[in-house]
Amino acid sequence: MYTKLYLDFEPEEWKQISSNPTTFESVQDNVSLEIMDTSQNSCRLQFKKGGKINLLRVVGRFRLTWDDDDLVN
């Protein structure tokens, strides 16, 4: 998924575990992120404890990747 907006990762919910690539890990269960993609569609993801999201800066936007197994069903 691509977004033009930078995401805020609350320190009580997320910790940065890597800087190349930039990876954040959820430190709690049921942590949610609301992401506005480049088409202005809103998507809410809910992560399990230990779930990871990768953030890669691409010209003028950010590419977000995650493993669907890290999401709460």
Side-chain angles (χ1 to χ4, degrees), residues 58-71:
V58 181
V59 179
R61 58 189 178 166
F62 299 95
R63 180 173 183 238
L64 305 170
T65 61
W66 59 88
D67 185 339
D68 286 339
D69 290 338
D70 288 341
L71 300 177

Side-chain angles (χ1 to χ4, degrees), residues 14-72:
W14 295 94
K15 67 178 176 181
Q16 185 173 348
I17 60 170
S18 173
S19 57
N20 192 14
T22 303
T23 303
F24 289 89
E25 180 179 65
S26 170
V27 296
Q28 299 178 24
D29 271 328
N30 300 317
V31 173
S32 64
L33 286 175
E34 186 167 355
I35 303 166
M36 190 74 76
D37 70 14
T38 55
S39 299
Q40 301 301 311
N41 296 314
S42 179
C43 175
R44 182 176 294 272
L45 302 172
Q46 195 165 2
F47 287 84
K48 299 174 186 174
K49 183 176 182 178
K52 297 174 184 72
I53 189 164
N54 301 304
L55 179 68
L56 178 65
R57 186 174 185 103
V58 181
V59 179
R61 58 189 178 166
F62 299 95
R63 180 173 183 238
L64 305 170
T65 61
W66 59 88
D67 185 339
D68 286 339
D69 290 338
D70 288 341
L71 300 177
V72 175

